[in-house]
DNA sequence: TCCATTGACGTTTTT
DNA sequence: CGTCAATGGA
């Protein structure tokens, strides 16, 4: 058979990966080295050359977008239906397994998925119910605790908390949370993975069935897998499965949410026969950009090792701009983009990347001022909008009225006279008798324990839900949603909002009905016995809508470096290259390798650029209301000087800029910077402290013996010291 | 029940 | 500084 079309467009390393003999393969795929292409060609190779049945292949990714792209490209390449192939996200595949085996894992047939927001609300509810003070016991922390434990495969009974009151309390909340979820037939994201793992553990015959069938497992972005995902995978692979993983330890940027880069090393240890293949040829960036990125990432310890190269051009030097402050930084970046567009390039070719979401604001302001179209990624997604979630909550009640999370959300929306007092009475009743809210409402009405006004309001709600269930039972999905919106009179809840806001909400609700009309029940959900409604609700939770914009939007792209992973742009700006911001202060202070993750994030950011890369930092930045000085990011120093072209000399730090609009501030700063003061150091001067080591002078305050100096230490971060006692030496 | 004021808080985010 | 959630008075 002619297989040239599978191999023609591949380089040697890619071809080696695609044609690797059965067994375990680790592909270390650098940024822009064609990893998706390798995955797609590998699938095609298995089917067309190795004659593996499409039913025997499982390909797993992290995002729906990546899964969709892989499926699409595989279909184009093979010219066959990709229906029988299992391609999906970890969560999507776990969901599918749980649907098919809900009995074995103890879930009701119509179980529903709780998104992070619902989860947080439920946890907050429980913390209050348990009589805990939320200032000492923040619900976010509990959420983090529960999810982290689930990601590690732990149930409350596994958690040791000898003499540890915090762990003991959170474990208790975890336990209570699980009870609520159980009663409401609810499953959160981490639970999907954990249950799928427990399915393997507790149902050997089910595991055996899938082991026999799925002989080829392909994993994308392997460096992002967490403990439970890897454990799940290993069990599925068993002794005979072939595991083909693609990843890049240098692009692991999700350690803070449980991803384990160590899995890459573990994989090599767990499968000693693994063939390791490096994809180092880059098809995206200029030589200069790659050299800079290589030099930067070389500062990390314990890498698998990899060096990107290109057959293409060297390209321009990396621009470095030292702005006086964040306003000036934004001004400069937008100016560059304007020039780029005037030079005939598209706005969508340019991306502004930053560390924290709050940084987007200024750039937006300046883009708006210059009338340049832009788009900020990572905003709220369609199925996360509150009005959409309100409508979905009513739908969830049609499916299962014992869904406490849904009842809490809409019982008084729009207001129907069910106040906080009534609701908390009902909660108490539910808690004491171990019932769902819906059941507790039924009991309360039957026993007549509610005040008459409350009873009639609650009775009306019960009637509303029951009537909807009856009236809408045989409607199409779209009509069900329209019916729920009409019957509940949901839009009344927004009537007092400003008209613009209200109109968007109504528009989103119409769009929700449209989405439902277009929705086609996937075959696998039908096979699992799901109704259209159940399937749609799951779909809404698992694919909350697009995160990343469409290519046809010719807009300047604004996003965090995290959300830029996997994307590329001809012109990339990385703003806010300051110690304390990037790398973030929290990571600098952290002892456990966070700084290296931060460096990887920088590596990811830099390798997004195809043609031009521009780094910038502000000497003074307003943060949390006050101005702070910081030194340029240590990452800048880690890039070879000869690759960098400074647009404005860095020495400028000795002349702090003060915005004209803040004349008071100017006076104050100007006075403190009179050069004939008896200060032994200049601003920006490198100094040494016997305890904190080397640092840079950032600011002075006060006079004579009371003079204090702010020094940003390389290791210890920024500190205010009394000059008379600090014993600083010029470095 | 609603709205306005106050207060706490401040890294990254997909499923 | 800006945001969001909680609180308390009308």
């Amino acid at each position: 058979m002619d297989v040239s079309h599978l191999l023609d467009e591949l380089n040697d390393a890619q071809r080696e990966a695609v044609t690797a003999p059965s067994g375990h393969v680790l592909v270390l795929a650098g940024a822009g080295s064609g990893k998706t292409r390798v995955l797609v060609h590998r699938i095609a190779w298995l089917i067309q050359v190795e004659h593996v049945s499409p039913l025997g292949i499982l390909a797993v990714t992290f995002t729906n977008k990546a899964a969709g792209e892989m499926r699409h490209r595989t279909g184009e390449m093979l010219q066959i239906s990709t229906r029988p192939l299992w391609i999906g996200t970890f969560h999507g595949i776990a969901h599918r397994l749980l649907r098919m085996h809900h009995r074995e894992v103890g879930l009701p047939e119509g179980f529903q998925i709780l998104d992070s927001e619902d989860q947080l609300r439920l946890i907050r509810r429980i913390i209050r119910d348990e009589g805990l003070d939320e200032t000492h016991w923040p619900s976010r922390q509990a959420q983090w605790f529960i999810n982290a434990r689930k990601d590690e495969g732990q149930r409350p009974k596994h958690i040791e908390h000898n003499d540890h009151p915090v762990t003991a309390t959170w474990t208790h909340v975890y336990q209570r949370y699980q009870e609520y979820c159980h009663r409401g037939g609810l499953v959160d994201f981490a639970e999907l993975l954990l249950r799928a793992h427990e399915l393997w553990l507790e149902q050997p015959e089910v595991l055996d069935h899938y082991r026999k069938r799925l002989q080829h497992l392909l994993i994308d972005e392997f460096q992002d897998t967490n403990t439970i995902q890897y454990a799940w995978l290993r069990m599925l692979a068993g002794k005979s499965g072939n595991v083909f993983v693609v990843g890049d330890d240098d692009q692991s940027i999700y350690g803070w949410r449980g991803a384990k880069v160590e899995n890459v090393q573990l994989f090599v240890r767990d499968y000693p026969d693994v063939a390791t293949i490096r994809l180092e040829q880059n098809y995206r960036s200029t030589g200069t950009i790659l050299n800079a990125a290589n030099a930067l990432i070389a500062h990390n310890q314990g890498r698998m090792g990899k060096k990107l190269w290109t057959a293409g051009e060297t390209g321009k030097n990396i621009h470095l701009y030292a702005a006086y402050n964040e306003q000036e930084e934004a001004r400069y970046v937008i100016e560059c983009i304007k020039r780029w567009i005037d030079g005939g390039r598209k706005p969508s070719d340019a991306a502004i990347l930053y560390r924290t979401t709050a940084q987007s604001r200024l750039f937006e302001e300046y883009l708006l001022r210059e009338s340049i179209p832009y788009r900020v990624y990572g905003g709220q997604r369609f199925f996360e909008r509150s009005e959409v979630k309100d409508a979905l909550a009513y739908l969830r009640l049609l499916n299962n009225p014992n869904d406490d999370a849904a009842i809490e959300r809409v019982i008084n929306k729009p207001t129907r006279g069910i106040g906080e007092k009534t609701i908390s009475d009902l909660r108490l009743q539910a808690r004491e008798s171990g019932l769902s809210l819906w059941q507790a409402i039924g009991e309360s009405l039957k026993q007549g324990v509610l005040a008459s006004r409350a009873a009639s309001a609650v009775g009306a709600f019960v009637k509303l839900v029951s009537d909807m269930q009856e009236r809408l039972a045989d409607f199409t999905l779209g009509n069900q949603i329209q019916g729920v919106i009409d019957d509940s009179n949901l839009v009344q809840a927004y009537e007092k909002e400003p008209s613009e806001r209200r109109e968007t909400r109504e528009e989103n609700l119409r769009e929700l009905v449209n989405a439902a009309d277009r929705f086609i029940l996937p075959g696998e959900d039908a096979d699992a016995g799901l109704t259209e409604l159940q399937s749609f609700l799951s779909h809404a939770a698992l694919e909350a809508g697009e995160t990343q914009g469409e290519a046809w939007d010719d807009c300047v792209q604004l996003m965090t470096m995290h959300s830029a992973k996997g994307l590329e742009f001809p012109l990339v700006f990385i703003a806010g290259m300051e110690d304390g911001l990037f790398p973030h202060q929290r990571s600098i202070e952290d002892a456990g390798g966070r700084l290296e993750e931060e460096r990887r994030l920088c590596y990811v950011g830099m390798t997004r650029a195809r043609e031009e890369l521009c780094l910038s930092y502000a000497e003074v930045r307003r943060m949390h209301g006050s101005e702070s000085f910081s030194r340029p990011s240590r990452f800048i120093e880690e890039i070879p000087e000869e690759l960098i072209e400074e647009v404005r000399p860095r020495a400028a730090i000795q002349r702090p800029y003060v915005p004209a609009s803040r004349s008071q501030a100017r006076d104050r700063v100007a006075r403190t910077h009179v050069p004939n003061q008896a200060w032994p150091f200049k601003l920006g001067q490198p100094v040494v402290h016997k305890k904190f080591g080397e640092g840079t002078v950032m600011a002075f305050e006060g006079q004579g013996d009371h003079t204090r100096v702010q020094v940003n230490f390389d290791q210890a971060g920024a500190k205010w010291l009394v000059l008379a006692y600090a014993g600083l030496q010029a470095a």
Side-chain angles (χ1 to χ4, degrees):
Chain A
M1 174 178 188
D2 178 24
V3 294
S4 58
H5 67 291
L6 292 179
L7 305 175
D8 272 357
E9 294 164 5
L10 302 177
N11 65 37
D12 290 348
Q14 290 172 336
R15 192 172 300 146
E16 188 189 348
V18 167
T19 61
S22 285
H24 306 300
V25 181
L26 166 63
V27 180
L28 288 172
S33 65
K35 107 197 133 91
T36 308
R37 163 176 292 196
V38 164
L39 276 165
V40 168
H41 283 243
R42 174 68 176 180
I43 293 174
W45 175 267
L46 289 173
I47 293 173
Q48 294 196 330
V49 180
E50 306 279 348
H51 303 296
V52 173
S53 159
L55 289 166
I57 296 174
L58 173 71
V60 198
T61 64
F62 276 85
T63 65
N64 292 301
K65 190 183 169 210
E69 191 182 336
M70 202 188 299
R71 187 179 286 281
H72 175 73
R73 285 172 62 171
T74 308
E76 289 221 311
M77 167 134 243
L78 288 173
Q79 294 297 317
I80 60 163
S81 162
T82 57
R83 272 290 302 278
L85 283 165
W86 265 32
I87 300 180
T89 63
F90 273 103
H91 291 86
I93 285 162
H95 173 242
R96 189 165 161 186
L97 280 170
L98 298 184
R99 287 292 178 200
M100 289 188 291
H101 301 283
H102 63 90
R103 268 180 218 92
E104 287 97 322
V105 293
L107 286 172
E109 183 171 27
F111 74 84
Q112 277 308 323
I113 301 167
L114 211 57
D115 71 17
S116 331
E117 193 206 341
D118 294 337
Q119 182 189 38
L120 184 64
R121 281 165 173 258
L122 190 48
I123 291 171
R124 185 176 294 145
R125 185 70 273 134
I126 290 163
I127 288 175
R128 282 181 198 171
D129 282 355
E130 292 299 302
L132 296 171
D133 172 7
E134 284 167 271
T135 51
H136 291 101
W137 303 98
S139 45
R140 285 205 169 277
Q141 204 186 315
Q143 183 184 33
W144 183 86
F145 177 90
I146 292 170
N147 289 335
R149 294 305 169 138
K150 288 188 177 186
D151 285 347
E152 292 290 318
Q154 291 181 309
R155 291 296 185 191
K157 64 179 179 205
H158 300 129
I159 301 172
E160 301 227 354
H161 45 76
N162 313 330
D163 305 330
H164 203 303
V166 176
T167 312
T169 305
W170 286 150
T171 304
H172 177 67
V173 172
Y174 180 5
Q175 177 73 51
R176 299 283 291 126
Y177 168 74
Q178 288 302 116
E179 289 162 18
Y180 272 81
C181 288
H182 180 73
R183 262 200 303 277
L186 297 168
V187 166
D188 61 51
F189 291 129
E191 185 79 17
L192 288 169
L193 303 174
L194 184 47
R195 292 258 181 165
H197 185 239
E198 287 169 350
L199 177 66
W200 291 166
L201 288 176
E202 290 157 20
Q203 308 289 331
E205 66 291 350
V206 175
L207 173 60
D208 198 51
H209 167 259
Y210 286 104
R211 273 185 178 170
K212 287 206 177 95
R213 178 181 146 185
L214 298 167
Q215 280 292 301
H216 289 271
L217 312 178
L218 297 90
I219 320 301
D220 189 17
E221 305 275 19
F222 185 68
Q223 77 283 350
D224 287 340
T225 51
N226 63 29
T227 302
I228 197 77
Q229 286 160 340
Y230 184 49
W232 179 85
L233 194 65
R234 281 189 65 196
M235 287 206 72
L236 176 58
K239 286 202 177 73
S240 64
N242 301 289
V243 189
F244 186 96
V245 312
V246 179
D248 182 358
D249 54 327
D250 292 332
Q251 290 190 72
S252 162
I253 55 175
Y254 287 113
W256 52 274
R257 65 176 198 211
K260 292 266 188 291
V261 216
E262 304 92 287
N263 285 347
V264 179
Q265 270 107 2
L266 281 181
F267 183 69
V268 180
R269 197 198 64 190
D270 293 337
Y271 299 94
D273 63 333
V274 70
T276 301
I277 297 160
R278 287 178 166 73
L279 304 185
E280 298 176 297
Q281 181 173 5
N282 174 292
Y283 296 94
R284 178 186 294 158
S285 311
T286 64
T288 300
I289 291 166
L290 295 179
N291 288 341
N294 282 331
L296 174 91
I297 202 66
H299 287 80
N300 274 1
Q301 307 292 312
R303 301 168 55 221
M304 300 292 288
K306 194 164 26 60
K307 202 157 192 171
L308 298 177
W309 61 276
T310 177
E313 291 174 18
T314 309
K316 289 189 186 176
N317 271 359
I318 293 165
H319 283 189
L320 175 64
Y321 187 73
Y324 300 118
N325 59 19
E326 75 277 13
Q327 319 249 341
E328 221 255 314
E329 178 185 51
R331 202 221 81 235
Y332 172 76
V333 170
I334 304 314
E335 178 123 353
C336 288
I337 292 177
K338 225 167 81 184
R339 255 184 311 196
W340 173 270
I341 297 170
D342 290 344
R345 307 290 303 253
K346 291 191 299 184
S348 59
D349 284 349
I352 305 173
L353 311 184
Y354 35 78
R355 178 64 235 268
T356 65
T357 45
Q359 284 170 264
S360 73
R361 244 197 62 247
L362 262 185
F363 292 107
E364 290 185 66
E365 222 171 85
Y366 279 81
L367 284 161
L368 218 50
R369 199 180 295 176
E370 298 293 336
S371 311
I372 300 173
Y374 69 89
R375 179 180 172 135
V376 187
Y377 287 72
Q380 210 179 25
R381 284 152 341 143
F382 183 74
F383 286 108
E384 287 170 0
R385 310 224 153 124
S386 67
E387 60 277 14
V388 172
K389 292 200 67 175
D390 291 340
L392 291 178
Y394 277 110
L395 281 176
R396 275 161 57 180
L397 292 182
L398 293 192
N399 175 56
N400 172 18
N402 294 314
D403 184 337
D404 279 12
I407 288 219
E408 290 265 4
R409 187 169 183 109
V410 294
I411 190 167
N412 199 32
K413 191 179 279 183
T415 49
R416 44 174 75 91
I418 304 176
E420 194 46 45
K421 174 75 174 71
T422 310
I423 298 175
S424 71
D425 285 351
L426 292 170
R427 282 192 202 111
L428 186 67
Q429 160 98 3
R431 192 148 49 98
E432 284 181 344
S433 39
L435 300 173
S436 71
L437 269 175
W438 177 256
Q439 292 164 334
I441 289 172
E443 282 299 306
S444 302
L445 288 176
K446 210 189 296 172
Q447 295 165 12
V449 290
L450 294 171
S452 70
R453 195 194 292 183
S456 72
V458 170
F461 176 72
V462 171
K463 184 164 188 309
L464 170 70
V465 174
S466 321
D467 286 355
M468 285 195 305
Q469 280 179 322
E470 207 170 305
R471 185 173 88 83
L472 305 174
D474 299 321
F475 280 30
T476 62
L477 185 59
N479 288 339
Q480 278 182 321
I481 299 189
Q482 188 63 59
V484 149
I485 295 169
D486 292 342
D487 291 3
S488 67
N489 204 6
L490 183 57
V491 291
Q492 193 192 308
Y494 317 122
E495 69 182 355
K496 286 179 209 80
E497 297 188 349
S499 65
E500 200 181 319
R501 185 89 202 82
R502 199 182 60 231
E503 280 156 23
T504 347
R505 289 198 196 278
E506 289 173 12
E507 199 178 304
N508 286 333
L509 289 176
R510 279 194 296 275
E511 182 50 37
L512 178 65
V513 175
N514 283 337
D517 280 332
R518 288 194 305 266
F519 184 73
I520 299 160
L521 179 65
E524 68 224 43
D525 281 4
D527 294 347
L530 288 192
T531 63
E532 255 195 331
L533 174 58
Q534 289 166 341
S535 173
F536 183 73
L537 288 170
S538 308
H539 170 84
L542 282 174
E543 299 186 44
E546 53 157 48
T547 337
Q548 306 194 324
E550 301 90 69
W552 44 264
D553 281 342
D554 190 15
C555 293
V556 173
Q557 317 285 308
L558 276 71
M559 68 193 84
T560 63
M561 276 171 281
H562 281 93
S563 27
K565 193 164 101 165
L567 305 177
E568 58 174 47
F569 311 93
L571 173 62
V572 168
F573 295 86
I574 301 182
M577 293 285 297
E578 295 133 48
D579 254 35
L581 182 60
F582 188 38
H584 197 274
Q585 194 60 38
R586 294 249 177 119
S587 309
I588 295 173
E589 286 159 6
D590 184 272
R594 285 283 172 80
L595 187 65
E596 295 213 335
E597 181 157 306
E598 209 86 352
R599 189 176 282 112
R600 293 193 290 264
L601 185 59
C602 189
Y603 176 78
V604 167
M606 290 171 70
T607 52
R608 296 312 96 195
R610 286 220 298 251
E611 299 170 32
E612 289 185 40
L613 176 62
C614 177
L615 312 177
S616 61
Y617 62 89
E619 289 157 1
V620 184
R621 183 176 293 271
R622 246 193 131 67
M623 265 180 105
H624 311 320
S626 62
E627 289 195 322
S628 62
F629 296 78
S630 38
R631 35 166 262 171
S633 172
R634 61 193 69 193
F635 297 151
I636 293 174
E637 294 159 27
E638 296 173 0
I639 300 169
E641 232 173 312
E642 65 272 16
L643 302 178
I644 293 182
E645 182 181 322
E646 290 192 47
V647 181
R648 189 171 77 89
R650 249 190 269 187
I653 193 164
Q654 293 173 26
R655 301 180 262 111
Y657 167 82
V658 180
S661 62
R662 227 178 261 112
S663 56
Q664 274 188 322
R666 180 193 4 216
D667 288 350
R668 202 179 63 236
V669 175
R671 222 181 301 118
T672 49
H673 291 303
V674 175
N676 66 0
Q677 285 262 339
W679 290 333
F681 307 110
K682 285 189 289 192
L683 289 175
Q685 181 171 354
V687 290
V688 186
H689 183 272
K690 58 178 186 300
K691 184 158 155 233
F692 300 128
E694 292 185 15
T696 311
V697 174
M698 305 316 291
F700 288 99
E701 187 186 276
Q703 307 229 325
D705 283 347
H706 305 294
T707 307
R708 299 198 313 142
V709 55
Q710 190 192 32
V711 182
N712 200 355
F713 290 102
D714 299 4
Q715 303 302 321
K719 301 233 181 286
W720 279 101
L721 305 165
V722 177
L723 193 53
Y725 304 115
L728 287 175
Q729 304 281 318

